[in-house]
Amino acid sequence: MSLSGSLKLTLSSAAIALCAFASTANAADREFALVFKVLNNAFSPPIDAGCKEAAKKLGDVTCTYIGPTEYDEAKQVQLAQDMITRGVDGLGISAGNPKAMARILKMANDKGIPVVTFDTDVLPEDAGLRATYIGTDNYSFGVELAKKVLENKKEGGTVCIQSGAPASENLKARVQGIRDTLAGASKDAPVDTLTGQNGWTEPAGCPVYNNDDIALAAQQVRDVMTNHPDLSAFVAVGGWAQYAPQAYKQAMEPLKERLDKKDLVVVFGDNFGPQLPLLAEGLSHYNIGQRPYDMGYETIMALDKLTKGEKLEPFIQTGTETCTPADALTTCGKVAAK
């Protein structure tokens, strides 16, 4: 080979190597981390999928999706702090403990790391620590759950509400939306407990809180139905108990006659795979789902805009979907392509 040919080959090889290096560098130009409350539930994988799809679309972003395997507020705070120490380029937080997480958001702000919240926001007094909240209008979500009860129980009755972690701001907002709607109260004059307003009362021992423990949630359904055989409505602000379908069936199948007559009305939050066959069987009447895929996707897109100096709306809504036994196994819960 001539010297000229050898030089051309060397330069060509160098160019290829440089392009490969540039491609690798570009692939890791920016790392955005999403820190979720707990990974071992059906809500988590769609967030991760949306996060990764958005990162793929942008091309120069890596999505790092983390959270405690079991619900652990202190562990989540530590994981978020680790991401700040690591120096990620953007941070999305779903705050298990909003007050504790506010300290982490302040740390991110001090280091110049853009922050947004998704799924669960911080407290109103700490809203200035994040650029936007991405997710469901949780109070309105509770309103929609309650409206489905009222469609079938206009005369009132007894209602037991199931929630997750008592400190979770998004879940508290849903519970409040349920109570106010059943009571016929306005958001500006919230009801602490239903004690007969508009004909509705909450029996002793309700609400029940499962702390995102699926087995406990299913057991709570059984216990509530056993302890309150004349219950008019059961409203879960999330899908926990239905993520253990066999245990849920054992609790609800003996009540099928009451369910068929809508003597007992059952409404669940979420509309994931394990829940939909239960809905189709008539073991709940309505499942109102959020859009976790969109939360993950929009969080990455929001962080991308922030790193480019763009402004965001203070609240980016991702919407809900109401499912019934008729559409549970057909159109319900399908994710729209991005």
Side-chain angles (χ1 to χ4, degrees):
M1 181 181 294
S2 69
L3 180 60
S4 175
S6 177
L7 182 59
K8 285 179 181 178
L9 180 60
T10 301
L11 290 173
S12 177
S13 298
I16 292 170
L18 184 60
C19 287
F21 175 78
S23 176
T24 302
N26 286 340
D29 271 354
R30 295 177 293 164
E31 180 185 13
F32 297 155
L34 271 61
V35 187
F36 193 50
K37 293 175 294 188
V38 58
L39 300 185
N40 69 341
N41 68 29
F43 202 79
S44 181
I47 297 174
D48 188 19
C51 175
K52 287 181 168 52
E53 180 59 30
K56 179 181 176 182
K57 181 175 181 178
L58 291 170
D60 65 339
V61 168
T62 297
C63 161
T64 298
Y65 182 73
I66 60 172
T69 304
E70 305 290 336
Y71 188 83
D72 186 331
E73 294 173 356
K75 178 66 174 176
Q76 191 203 15
V77 168
Q78 182 60 55
L79 289 170
Q81 186 170 332
D82 291 346
M83 291 297 100
I84 294 170
T85 302
R86 181 161 154 173
V88 295
D89 298 285
L91 191 60
I93 297 288
S94 177
N97 186 321
K99 197 62 187 173
M101 198 58 79
R103 177 176 60 85
I104 300 302
L105 270 59
K106 177 66 164 56
M107 289 176 59
N109 289 175
D110 291 343
K111 287 189 172 290
I113 298 173
V115 185
V116 303
T117 53
F118 68 96
D119 177 55
T120 307
D121 201 5
V122 289
L123 298 172
E125 59 263 34
D126 296 318
L129 297 173
R130 46 67 166 165
T132 189
Y133 164 64
I134 299 165
T136 308
D137 182 324
N138 286 290
Y139 183 88
S140 296
F141 188 70
V143 169
E144 292 304 313
L145 292 168
K147 281 181 177 178
K148 293 303 175 186
V149 173
L150 290 174
E151 284 180 13
N152 299 278
K153 291 284 180 183
K154 296 180 176 62
E155 73 283 1
T158 55
V159 58
C160 189
I161 301 169
Q162 182 180 57
S163 188
S168 180
E169 287 299 309
N170 66 326
L171 302 183
K172 288 199 289 187
R174 294 179 200 177
V175 172
Q176 194 62 58
I178 292 168
R179 283 174 167 156
D180 292 350
T181 303
L182 293 180
S186 70
K187 188 176 182 180
D188 296 331
V191 173
D192 287 335
T193 305
L194 293 168
T195 57
Q197 301 94 325
N198 205 29
W200 288 98
T201 59
E202 295 176 73
C206 293
V208 289
Y209 296 95
N210 56 59
N211 285 306
D212 287 343
D213 184 322
I214 291 169
L216 175 59
Q219 183 60 49
Q220 287 174 341
V221 171
R222 179 186 289 272
D223 292 344
V224 167
M225 299 306 164
T226 300
N227 296 335
H228 306 288
D230 297 324
L231 192 72
S232 306
F234 182 85
V235 185
V237 300
W240 305 278
Q242 292 184 326
Y243 302 153
Q246 290 308 313
Y248 180 80
K249 277 187 178 184
Q250 290 173 7
M252 300 303 286
E253 281 180 340
L255 305 173
K256 190 63 167 62
E257 185 176 349
R258 291 192 68 210
L259 291 168
D260 289 344
K261 294 177 180 177
K262 295 187 178 177
D263 182 42
L264 167 65
V265 175
V266 176
V267 184
F268 265 81
D270 297 342
N271 57 352
F272 295 114
Q275 299 176 272
L276 300 181
L278 301 171
L279 177 61
E281 291 176 40
L283 297 179
S284 61
H285 296 103
Y286 304 94
N287 280 60
I288 300 180
Q290 301 177 82
R291 299 191 182 276
Y293 177 95
D294 291 2
M295 292 182 193
Y297 188 95
E298 296 297 341
T299 297
I300 291 295
M301 291 304 185
L303 291 172
D304 173 59
K305 289 178 180 178
L306 290 173
T307 59
K308 294 174 178 175
E310 298 179 31
K311 299 293 185 182
L312 299 174
E313 293 296 321
F315 178 22
I316 299 172
Q317 292 198 48
T318 49
T320 60
E321 176 188 22
T322 299
C323 301
T324 68
D327 63 19
L329 301 181
T330 54
T331 59
C332 172
K334 305 301 185 212
V335 175
K338 286 283 183 182

